[in-house]
């Protein structure tokens, strides 16, 4: 019953969001695109930090790598940006293997600092890429995005300008990515490996003694989140259309905000990032005129939540209403109760 | 052939020899007790068998195969199960999920087989009524039972019990001993570290007394408990 409710509400929300480019103003499409991308990044970071215990402050490395690789395949090889996006994700995953090799020697705060350092090395290295504009960056050729897969079709169907059609296509991709990521997270956490991950989170030594390999599970999560983070990075910069090393590897935009979203929403809960991203978007709309005050306010709210509501807004909410739309638990088989029911029937 | 065999196993923590040239064989289905004063190296010996520690010298053999360099996960999958002296539940998982992890990973059971296997074990250890309770909220007796249940869910051929009766009342102890005895009757090999001697000697057929990391004496429970050197370290205890 509850599962049907979740599925119904979820489908309705996804459907309503899918209609936004058809009926909504373009500015809303662009805003929601950012929100959906931040949601994808937040779901990934929540999986890393909230479930695998890998508090990375270097996820902007994968955003930047995905984005730069997409730019390289588009500008240097003349590929479709969407093909470049896929390659970007795969290369982000490939590069996460050597990064994991080094970073996994570190624990806790040291891991956080290590990943941050790696991301900065990546930022400086990509800034040396002359063909992509070096430190000042470059822009995607206009034709590349206009001729991108699906853009022509959307133009004809909706009868909008090429720029609006590009916004619509990237928006739908972000919506698809966020939806797939949410469902995949839930399925993964309910699977054997997700159960093992939760055991490792609670007690790594005991987990080993019942046959769970913590390093293997953490490495798997690190690799998969690098892939999706890379995809999301490439998608973000298809829509933005311009790239610089500082923007693509921004620790504020792609990690600090994401951490804020996950922490206020509820780290280690699946709906937490959704709640967090909505609150973040609201605050951004309210406070964006105030410049740096806005960042200070975000920081204060983050600190307050960490001190007084450690399970985040979602954690508090679930405590009040007692209904979890994404239950991660496994209920024990109720053989006795079932047979009683059958007897009564 | 011995199911588990230790050959000249030694472990030092700095200058301290916590395990010093320990050798013994465990026959399939045998129940072996290990006694010794605090700090004799009993729990360290378990950690060497499960792979949580690597010995500085010597070998650990399972079914005659050298497993000295294998990880705890590999040894668990090969049939070595353990319960911890201080219970180590997965606090945020339910009792049932604690077993499910063990059954799916160490026990190698498929998604279709694991749930029933877990419920069977919970019925047997008397925890079935608490299966959906969070493990972190359990009192001591239930935590001890959970330790045993979770170790059983990995489907061990050798089970290592570390002071599983410690801290329990006599009545609780009787139930636990009955469960362990039935395990022994089914042919699971058992190594049991215990200070509650009457519980231990009611199950095991052989005792090893450890002191300062060395094997002080091996023999039947009666022989070992009657020996002067054992009486000396267990001053005031009558076997």
């Amino acid at each position: 019953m509850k599962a049907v409710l979740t599925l119904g509400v979820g489908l309705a929300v996804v459907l309503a969001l899918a209609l936004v480019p058809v009926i909504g103003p373009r500015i809303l499409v662009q805003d929601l695109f950012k929100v959906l991308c931040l949601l994808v990044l937040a779901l990934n970071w929540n999986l890393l930090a909230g479930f695998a215990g890998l508090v990375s402050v270097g996820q902007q490395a994968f955003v930047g790598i995905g984005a730069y690789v997409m730019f390289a395949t588009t500008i240097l090889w003349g590929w479709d940006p969407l093909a470049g996006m896929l390659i970007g994700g795969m290369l982000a995953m490939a590069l996460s293997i050597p990064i994991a090799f080094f970073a996994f020697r570190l624990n806790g705060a040291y891991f956080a600092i290590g990943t941050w350092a790696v991301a900065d090395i990546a930022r400086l290295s990509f800034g040396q890429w002359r063909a992509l504009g070096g430190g000042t960056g470059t822009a995607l050729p206009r034709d590349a995005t206009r001729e991108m897969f699906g853009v022509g079709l959307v133009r004809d169907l909706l009868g909008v300008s090429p720029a609006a059609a590009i916004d619509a296509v990237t928006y739908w991709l972000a919506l698809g990515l966020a939806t797939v990521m949410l469902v995949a997270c839930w399925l993964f956490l309910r699977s054997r490996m997700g159960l093992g991950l939760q055991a490792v989170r609670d007690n790594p030594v005991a987990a080993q003694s019942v046959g769970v390999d913590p390093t293997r599970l953490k490495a798997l999560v690190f690799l998969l989140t690098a892939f999706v983070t890379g995809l999301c990075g490439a998608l973000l910069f298809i829509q933005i259309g311009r790239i610089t090393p500082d923007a693509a590897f921004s620790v504020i935009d792609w990690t600090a905000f994401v951490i804020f979203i996950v922490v206020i929403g509820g780290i280690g809960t699946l709906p937490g990032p959704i709640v967090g991203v909505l609150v973040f978007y609201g605050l951004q709309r309210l406070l964006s005129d105030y410049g740096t005050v806005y960042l200070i306010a975000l920081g204060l709210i983050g600190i307050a939540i960490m001190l007084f509501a450690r399970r985040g807004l979602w954690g508090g909410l679930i405590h009040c209403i007692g209904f979890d739309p994404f239950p991660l638990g496994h209920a024990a088989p109720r053989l006795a109760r079932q047979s009683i029911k059958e007897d009564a029937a | 052939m011995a199911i588990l065999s230790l050959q000249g196993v030694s472990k030092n923590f700095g200058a301290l020899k916590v395990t010093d040239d320990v050798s013994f064989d465990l026959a399939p289905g045998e129940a072996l007790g290990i006694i010794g004063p605090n700090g004799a190296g009993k729990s360290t010996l378990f950690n060497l068998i499960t792979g949580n520690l690597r010995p500085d010298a010597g070998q650990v053999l399972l079914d005659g195969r050298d497993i000295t360099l294998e990880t705890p996960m590999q040894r668990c999958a090969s049939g070595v199960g353990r319960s911890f002296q201080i219970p180590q539940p997965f606090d945020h998982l339910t009792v049932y999920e604690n077993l499910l992890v063990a059954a799916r990973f160490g026990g190698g059971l498929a998604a279709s087989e694991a749930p029933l296997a877990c419920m069977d074990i919970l019925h047997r250890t008397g925890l079935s009524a608490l299966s959906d309770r969070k493990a972190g909220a359990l009192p001591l007796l239930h935590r001890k039972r959970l330790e045993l249940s979770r170790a059983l869910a990995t489907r061990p051929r050798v089970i290592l019990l570390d002071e599983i009766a410690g801290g329990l009342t006599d009545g609780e102890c009787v139930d636990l001993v009955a469960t362990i005895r039935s395990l022994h009757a089914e042919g699971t090999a058992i190594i049991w570290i215990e200070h509650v001697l009457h519980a231990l000697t009611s199950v095991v057929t052989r005792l090893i007394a450890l002191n300062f990391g060395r094997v002080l004496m091996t023999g039947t429970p009666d022989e070992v408990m009657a020996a002067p050197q054992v009486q000396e370290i267990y001053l005031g205890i009558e076997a």
Side-chain angles (χ1 to χ4, degrees):
Chain A
M1 187 58 220
K2 284 176 176 178
V4 175
L5 187 66
T6 304
L7 199 70
V9 172
L11 272 176
V13 168
V14 170
L15 224 71
L17 283 172
L19 284 175
V20 168
V22 184
I23 51 177
R26 204 174 138 202
I27 185 77
L28 184 65
V29 175
Q30 289 175 345
D31 271 4
L32 287 180
F33 169 79
K34 277 269 169 58
V35 169
L36 287 168
C37 284
L38 279 174
L39 176 60
V40 173
L41 295 178
L43 286 168
N44 277 287
W45 195 80
N46 186 36
L47 205 56
L48 270 179
F51 288 98
L54 295 167
V55 182
S56 166
V57 189
Q59 291 310 100
Q60 69 275 19
F62 303 117
V63 171
I65 291 166
Y68 260 95
V69 169
M70 181 275 294
F71 264 68
T73 55
T74 306
I75 294 177
L76 306 179
W77 302 345
W79 288 16
D80 189 297
L82 293 183
M85 174 179 154
L86 212 58
I87 306 286
M90 290 197 288
L91 219 74
M93 184 160 74
L95 284 172
S96 74
I97 296 168
I99 293 174
F101 181 77
F102 291 110
F104 275 33
R105 289 157 191 265
L106 307 170
N107 268 320
Y110 301 99
F111 177 84
I113 296 167
T115 49
W116 193 355
V118 167
D120 239 32
I121 293 169
R123 178 177 63 87
L124 294 168
S125 309
F126 279 90
Q128 300 299 313
W129 199 341
R130 290 279 164 77
L132 292 180
T136 51
T138 187
L140 273 183
R142 248 167 55 132
D143 293 347
T145 40
R146 285 191 174 193
E147 288 161 16
M148 193 166 72
F149 178 79
V151 170
L153 187 69
V154 172
R155 251 184 91 180
D156 296 342
L157 275 177
L158 301 184
V160 291
S161 69
I166 292 165
D167 281 347
V169 170
T170 49
Y171 171 86
W172 280 322
L173 282 172
L175 180 61
L177 198 58
T179 311
V180 169
M181 186 66 204
L182 188 63
V183 174
C185 270
W186 185 67
L187 290 176
F188 177 76
L189 289 170
R190 298 252 323 150
S191 75
R192 170 177 177 270
M193 283 188 284
L195 193 62
L197 208 57
Q198 292 173 67
V200 170
R201 180 194 61 190
D202 279 2
N203 193 324
V205 175
Q208 287 186 12
S209 82
V210 298
V212 183
D213 189 339
T215 313
R216 203 157 145 191
L217 284 176
K218 288 181 178 195
L220 182 73
V221 171
F222 194 71
L223 259 64
L224 290 178
T225 53
F227 174 66
V228 182
T229 306
L231 278 184
C232 188
L235 184 59
L236 270 163
F237 281 86
I238 291 176
Q239 198 264 354
I240 296 169
R242 261 201 67 80
I243 199 166
T244 65
D246 289 344
F249 292 91
S250 165
V251 66
I252 304 274
D253 287 342
W254 315 131
T255 299
F257 286 160
V258 167
I259 293 176
F260 174 83
I261 287 168
V262 175
V263 166
I264 60 167
I267 189 167
T269 68
L270 204 42
I274 304 175
V275 175
V277 86
L278 291 175
V279 172
F280 177 77
Y281 178 61
L283 286 172
Q284 209 175 29
R285 291 297 298 269
L286 274 175
L287 301 171
S288 57
D289 295 338
Y290 300 98
T292 44
V293 175
Y294 154 64
L295 291 174
I296 294 169
L298 280 190
L300 287 176
I301 292 167
I303 291 169
I305 297 264
M306 280 185 231
L307 286 178
F308 303 114
R310 299 202 60 181
R311 298 171 66 206
L313 295 175
W314 178 257
L317 200 67
I318 206 174
H319 200 68
C320 292
I321 60 173
F323 168 61
D324 188 351
F326 298 100
L328 297 177
H330 301 258
R334 287 267 168 241
L335 295 174
R337 196 181 289 172
Q338 245 168 30
S339 56
I340 291 167
K341 268 186 198 160
E342 278 160 18
D343 288 349
Chain B
M1 185 181 60
I3 185 166
L4 183 77
S5 176
L6 271 66
Q7 300 181 347
V9 171
S10 296
K11 179 72 189 176
N12 308 324
F13 291 146
L16 186 69
K17 286 188 171 177
V18 277
T19 305
D20 190 1
D21 195 24
V22 170
S23 302
F24 66 80
D25 285 342
L26 181 74
E30 187 185 0
L32 170 69
I34 295 181
I35 61 167
N38 290 325
K42 303 182 298 293
S43 290
T44 302
L45 193 64
F46 269 15
N47 283 328
L48 290 165
I49 297 172
T50 57
N52 293 88
L53 290 174
R54 289 257 165 94
D56 297 318
Q59 273 127 38
V60 181
L61 306 172
L62 186 70
D63 304 317
R65 185 169 57 88
D66 188 349
I67 58 164
T68 316
L69 297 178
E70 287 189 358
T71 62
M73 297 76 88
Q74 289 168 318
R75 295 183 200 204
C76 175
S78 311
V80 180
R82 84 173 297 183
S83 76
F84 287 93
Q85 182 182 354
I86 299 163
Q88 308 279 339
F90 303 127
D91 285 339
H92 298 96
L93 300 184
T94 65
V95 167
Y96 167 72
E97 287 166 340
N98 266 263
L99 267 69
L100 196 60
V101 180
R104 296 279 282 150
F105 281 85
L109 289 177
S112 55
E113 308 162 302
L116 287 183
C118 291
M119 288 318 287
D120 278 349
I121 294 169
L122 288 174
H123 280 299
R124 179 170 188 181
T125 53
L127 279 178
S128 58
L130 300 170
S131 44
D132 285 328
R133 188 82 64 86
K134 290 269 189 257
L138 294 180
L140 180 69
L141 168 67
H142 294 323
R143 280 166 183 256
K144 294 262 181 187
R145 284 187 175 162
L146 179 57
E147 277 296 316
L148 177 64
S149 312
R150 194 176 61 186
L152 289 178
T154 66
R155 301 201 301 163
R157 290 180 296 133
V158 183
I159 188 162
L160 310 179
L161 305 173
D162 197 347
E163 297 195 23
I164 192 111
L168 302 185
T169 65
D170 282 348
E172 293 167 349
C173 197
V174 169
D175 289 348
L176 202 64
V177 166
T179 310
I180 295 168
R181 207 194 291 267
S182 73
L183 274 180
H184 179 44
E186 283 166 20
T188 309
I190 296 168
I191 307 182
W192 186 3
I193 293 174
E194 194 55 73
H195 284 306
V196 185
L197 293 174
H198 66 87
L200 183 66
T201 51
S202 70
V203 177
V204 302
T205 47
R206 190 159 63 108
L207 268 186
I208 291 179
L210 282 183
N211 200 18
F212 296 116
R214 295 190 72 90
V215 175
L216 188 71
M217 192 184 172
T218 307
T220 64
D222 289 343
E223 282 167 10
V224 171
M225 295 318 298
Q229 65 267 44
V230 175
Q231 299 245 325
E232 199 178 312
I233 60 170
Y234 270 101
L235 202 64
I237 291 174
E238 295 192 10

